[in-house]
C-alpha cells in the first residue's frame, strides 16, 4: 500500500485536518524533550472517538503498520517516539471529562484529558476534591501518567498513580474494545476487583498491550490548608529511619528528599520537603510541632525559609524544571526508579558520583510512595540541547544510573529502550516467557509500540 493510500485511509477515519504525513507536522513527534535520538514517524492521526481508534487499529493490524499511542509525550525517556516508524496516535482530541462521582470519589475521563484540564475542572466545580497528578507540566495526560506508575502529591499516603486506577476501556490490537475493572460488570467505575485484576496488564506496558481510551481514576478529599515543613539532613544514612518515624505519624501527605548542589551552600545537605494539610492554620501549626520534634530526634534540622520560597514550593503542579535546569541550552532528563527505602542513602551517594564524573551538578529527588513501601528515586542530568557532546554525557550518566539502580535492587522507571534492555537482562526467564506469550496472543502482528519490552 502506498503512503498516499495509508494517509487517505487515516483521513477517511479521522477527517482531513487530523491525519498527516507532512514532514513539518511529523517533526515534533519524532523527538521529545529528553536526550533520546530523534526517530522517524510516518503518520500522525488524532482520533476523537473510540470507534475511530478501533478503525485505525484494525486498519494498522491488517496492513501491519506500527502504532504508538501518545498522551502529552512528556515522559522524557523517548517512549512515544516510534522505534519502528508507523502511526503516532495522538490522543489529545479524546478530552471529555465524562463523569465526576462525588460519592464514590472517582473521575471517569477520556485518555486525552490533561492534568491541567482536570485540575481546572475540579477547582471550579468540585473544590473539595483533588486528583492524583504529577509535578509535570499541565499538558501531560492523566492516562499517560497513571499508566506508567507516575507519582505525585498524594503518593506518600495512597501509593503511585497506577494504584489509583479503578478501571480502563482499552482497544486491543484486533480492534475489539475491552473494559477492565468493575466497569466490565457495572455502570459504576469504582473498583478493580473483586474479579481477576487485569488493569496491571496495561500499566507500564507503554502501549504494547492496547490503546486505553477511557479510565476511571480515584479522587481524594482536598483539605483547605496546605503547608510545608522543611528539614535539613546532613547524614544521608539517617533517611530510612527518619522516613519511618515520619510516616508512622499519619501526618505527611507528600514527603520528598531533594539534593541540589546549587546554590553552593546546599552542597552535602539533603532537603526534606514535607507537605502537610489540614482544615485550619491551627491544625497545620500543631502538626508542624510534632514533626519538628521528630526532626530533632532523628538528627534533622527544621529549616525556615523566607515566605517567597514557600510560594514556589507550594505551587501545584510545581514547575520542577525550574529547579533542574542549570545549563545554558536548557534540557534535562532523569532516571526515575523504584528503590527500596533502605537503599536510598547508597543511591544518593553513588548517583552523585555519576553526576560529578560527567561534570553535571548533582540534582536528585526521592519521593516516598505509600508510607515508605517504595521510593521513587530520580537522578536528574541537565544538558545543553545545542551541544551533542553534552547530550552524549547526559546519555552516559543516565545509562550508568540505570545500571546502579538495578545493582541496588531497584527498577528503572519509564525506562528508555536501553534501560528496558537492562531490565529484561535481569528479568526472571519465566516472567519473560509469560509476557511474551500474552503479547503474542494479544498482538500477533507486533504492531503495538514495537521495540518496547522486546522479550
Ligand atoms: C518537568 C517535569 C516534571 C515531571 N514530574 C513528574 C512527577 O512529579 N511525577 C511523575 O510521575 N512524572 C513526572 N514527570 C514525567 C512525565 O512528564 C509524566 O509522568 C507524565 O505524566 C507522562 O504523561 P504523558 O501524557 O506525557 O505520557 P506520554 O509520554 O504521552 O506517554 C507515556 C507512555 O504511556 C503510553 N500511553 C500514553 N497514552 C496512552 C494510551 N491512551 N493508551 C496506552 N498507552 C498510552 C505511551 O505510549 C508511553 O509509553 C515530569 C516530567 C517533566 C518534564
Amino acid at each position: 500500500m502506498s503512503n498516499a493510500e495509508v494517509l487517505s485511509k487515516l483521513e477517511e477515519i479521522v477527517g482531513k485536518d487530523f491525519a498527516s504525513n507532512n514532514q513539518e507536522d511529523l517533526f515534533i513527534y519524532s523527538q521529545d524533550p529528553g536526550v533520546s535520538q530523534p526517530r522517524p514517524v510516518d503518520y500522525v492521526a488524532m482520533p476523537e472517538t473510540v470507534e475511530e481508534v478501533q478503525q485505525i487499529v484494525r486498519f494498522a493490524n491488517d496492513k501491519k503498520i506500527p502504532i504508538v499511542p501518545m498522551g502529552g509525550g512528556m515522559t522524557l525517556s523517548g517512549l512515544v517516539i516510534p522505534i519502528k516508524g508507523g502511526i503516532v496516535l495522538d490522543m489529545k482530541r479524546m478530552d471529555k471529562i465524562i463523569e465526576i462521582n462525588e460519592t464514590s470519589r472517582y473521575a471517569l475521563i477520556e485518555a486525552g484529558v490533561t492534568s491541567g484540564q482536570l485540575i481546572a475542572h475540579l477547582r471550579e466545580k468540585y473544590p473539595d476534591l483533588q486528583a492524583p497528578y504529577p509535578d509535570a507540566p499541565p499538558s501531560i495526560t492523566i492516562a499517560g501518567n497513571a499508566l506508567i506508575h507516575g507519582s505525585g502529591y498524594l503518593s506518600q499516603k495512597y501509593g503511585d498513580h497506577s494504584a489509583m486506577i479503578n478501571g480502563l476501556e482499552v482497544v486491543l490490537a484486533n480492534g475489539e474494545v475491552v473494559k477492565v475493572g468493575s466497569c466490565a460488570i457495572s455502570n459504576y467505575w469504582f473498583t478493580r476487583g473483586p474479579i481477576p485484576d487485569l488493569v496491571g496488564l496495561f500499566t507500564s506496558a507503554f502501549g504494547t498491550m492496547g490503546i486505553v481510551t477511557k479510565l476511571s481514576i480515584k479522587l481524594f478529599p482536598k483539605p483547605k490548608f496546605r503547608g510545608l515543613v522543611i528539614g535539613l539532613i546532613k547524614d544521608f544514612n539517617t533517611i530510612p529511619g527518619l522516613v519511618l518515624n515520619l510516616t508512622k505519624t499519619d501526618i505527611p501527605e507528600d514527603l520528598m528528599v531533594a539534593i541540589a548542589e546549587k546554590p553552593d551552600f546546599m552542597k552535602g545537605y539533603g532537603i526534606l520537603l514535607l507537605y502537610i494539610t489540614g482544615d485550619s492554620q491551627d491544625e497545620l501549626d500543631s502538626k508542624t510541632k510534632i514533626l519538628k520534634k521528630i526532626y530533632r530526634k532523628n538528627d534533622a534540622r527544621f529549616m525556615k525559609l523566607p515566605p517567597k520560597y514557600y510560594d514556589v514550593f507550594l505551587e501545584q503542579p510545581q514547575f520542577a524544571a525550574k529547579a533542574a535546569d542549570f545549563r545554558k541550552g536548557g534540557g534535562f532528563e532523569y532516571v526515575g526508579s523504584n528503590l527500596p527505602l533502605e537503599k536510598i542513602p547508597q543511591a544518593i551517594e553513588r548517583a552523585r558520583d555519576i553526576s560529578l564524573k560527567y561534570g553535571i551538578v548533582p540534582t536528585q529527588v526521592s519521593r516516598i510512595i505509600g508510607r515508605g513501601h517504595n521510593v521513587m528515586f530520580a537522578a536528574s542530568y541537565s544538558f545543553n540541547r545545542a551541544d551533542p557532546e553534552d547530550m552524549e554525557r547526559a546519555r552516559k550518566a543516565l545509562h550508568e544510573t540505570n545500571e546502579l539502580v538495578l545493582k541496588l535492587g531497584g527498577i528503572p522507571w519509564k525506562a528508555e529502550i536501553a534501560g528496558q534492555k537492562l531490565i529484561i537482562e535481569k528479568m526472571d526467564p519465566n516472567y519473560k516467557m509469560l509476557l511474551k506469550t500474552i503479547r503474542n496472543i494479544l498482538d500477533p502482528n507486533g504492531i503495538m509500540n514495537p521495540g518496547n519490552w522486546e522479550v
Side-chain angles (χ1 to χ4, degrees):
M1 203 176 199
S2 72
N3 282 355
E5 283 168 320
V6 174
L7 179 66
S8 155
K9 181 68 188 174
L10 293 174
E11 285 177 345
E12 185 191 310
I13 298 170
V14 295
K16 262 192 175 319
D17 288 343
F18 300 108
S20 177
N21 66 354
N22 221 323
Q23 286 312 305
E24 291 85 347
D25 295 332
L26 299 180
F27 175 76
I28 193 76
Y29 294 96
S30 68
Q31 51 195 294
D32 78 357
V35 288
S36 297
Q37 301 282 9
R39 294 187 288 263
V41 182
D42 299 315
Y43 313 91
V44 58
M46 300 178 77
E48 194 182 17
T49 63
V50 63
E51 291 78 18
E52 289 179 5
V53 175
Q54 285 181 279
Q55 286 178 51
I56 295 170
V57 173
R58 282 203 180 108
F59 167 68
N61 200 22
D62 189 38
K63 303 296 172 203
K64 301 192 173 46
I65 305 172
I67 296 195
V68 180
M70 172 183 158
M74 289 302 284
T75 51
L76 298 173
S77 44
L79 293 181
V80 296
I81 318 174
I83 314 277
K84 301 188 177 172
I87 306 166
V88 171
L89 208 62
D90 183 334
M91 304 299 285
K92 278 189 197 70
R93 289 176 74 219
M94 297 193 66
D95 62 354
K96 288 184 201 67
I97 297 174
I98 300 162
E99 182 194 353
I100 301 292
N101 185 319
E102 288 178 86
T103 312
S104 290
R105 289 195 180 127
Y106 64 79
L108 175 58
I109 57 177
E110 287 188 330
V113 169
T114 62
S115 68
Q117 196 187 339
L118 188 59
I119 293 166
H121 185 75
L122 293 176
R123 277 186 190 158
E124 190 192 340
K125 302 221 158 88
Y126 304 92
D128 295 335
L129 287 174
Q130 56 179 336
Y133 55 87
D135 257 333
S139 58
I140 63 98
T141 59
I142 295 287
N145 181 254
L147 287 173
I148 60 165
H149 291 93
S151 55
Y153 310 110
L154 300 167
S155 294
Q156 189 282 135
K157 271 202 166 161
Y158 304 110
D160 70 49
H161 296 163
S162 288
M164 298 175 188
I165 299 175
N166 285 333
L168 301 170
E169 176 189 85
V170 190
V171 175
L172 301 176
N174 63 5
E176 293 299 320
V177 179
V178 59
K179 283 181 178 167
V180 289
S182 61
C183 58
I185 290 136
S186 151
N187 286 334
Y188 292 92
W189 294 57
F190 69 113
T191 182
R192 284 152 80 139
I195 49 176
D197 183 0
L198 298 183
V199 169
L201 203 52
F202 303 97
T203 56
S204 285
F206 307 151
T208 57
M209 298 289 181
I211 315 282
V212 171
T213 44
K214 284 190 193 90
L215 82 156
S216 163
I217 189 98
K218 286 183 177 148
L219 300 175
F220 298 88
K222 187 177 178 185
K224 296 211 165 15
F225 288 74
R226 189 160 177 265
L228 174 62
V229 190
I230 299 181
L232 209 58
I233 302 168
K234 180 73 185 150
D235 178 0
F236 300 140
N237 289 313
T238 61
I239 292 173
L242 174 61
V243 167
L244 288 180
N245 286 328
L246 288 168
T247 49
K248 224 191 263 176
T249 61
D250 227 15
I251 293 177
E253 193 161 278
D254 188 13
L255 177 43
M256 285 182 283
V257 179
I259 311 285
E261 295 203 354
K262 285 278 176 196
D264 288 336
F265 65 80
M266 285 313 302
K267 226 174 243 174
Y269 287 99
I271 307 180
L272 188 71
L273 297 167
L274 202 153
Y275 291 88
I276 54 173
T277 51
D279 282 322
S280 65
Q281 189 56 49
D282 281 351
E283 190 181 335
L284 294 195
D285 291 345
S286 64
K287 284 179 173 172
T288 303
K289 248 191 219 160
I290 299 172
L291 295 171
K292 275 184 180 171
K293 241 190 225 165
I294 297 178
Y295 284 6
R296 270 199 302 275
K297 278 194 184 154
N298 290 269
D299 256 359
R301 280 219 317 265
F302 170 69
M303 193 170 133
K304 199 164 170 60
L305 290 180
K308 65 175 180 184
Y309 291 107
Y310 283 92
D311 293 345
V312 174
F313 283 116
L314 285 165
E315 205 181 7
Q316 272 185 313
Q318 221 183 90
F319 187 31
K322 267 196 255 180
D325 259 345
F326 295 113
R327 282 193 186 214
K328 199 172 162 191
F332 86 101
E333 181 171 334
Y334 59 91
V335 166
S337 60
N338 281 193
L339 272 170
L341 177 58
E342 53 267 52
K343 291 294 179 182
I344 292 302
Q346 255 174 295
I348 290 174
E349 295 288 3
R350 291 172 60 186
R352 181 176 181 273
D353 292 343
I354 295 173
S355 296
L356 296 177
K357 174 174 164 190
Y358 290 103
I360 301 169
V361 178
T363 310
Q364 304 167 1
V365 67
S366 302
R367 176 171 248 143
I368 308 303
I369 296 178
R371 315 283 163 112
H373 290 108
N374 180 5
V375 182
M376 199 288 293
F377 171 78
S380 176
Y381 302 109
S382 57
F383 55 87
N384 179 350
R385 274 179 217 293
D387 180 349
E389 278 177 24
D390 206 29
M391 288 184 77
E392 190 50 32
R393 269 196 292 278
R395 247 174 241 129
K396 284 184 181 154
L398 288 163
H399 195 72
E400 284 182 31
T401 312
N402 277 332
E403 289 173 330
L404 164 68
V405 162
L406 282 161
K407 247 184 232 153
L408 292 176
I411 307 170
W413 167 58
K414 65 180 175 61
E416 74 289 359
I417 294 299
Q420 288 179 33
K421 287 201 172 114
L422 292 175
I423 297 172
I424 291 167
E425 272 168 27
K426 254 199 118 178
M427 200 179 258
D428 165 54
N430 287 343
Y431 192 102
K432 272 196 255 189
M433 194 258 300
L434 182 61
L435 194 57
K436 192 170 178 171
T437 307
I438 295 170
R439 271 184 80 173
N440 286 344
I441 292 169
L442 287 181
D443 180 21
N445 291 325
I447 62 156
M448 307 301 276
N449 208 355
N452 282 276
W453 294 131
E454 291 266 312
V455 280

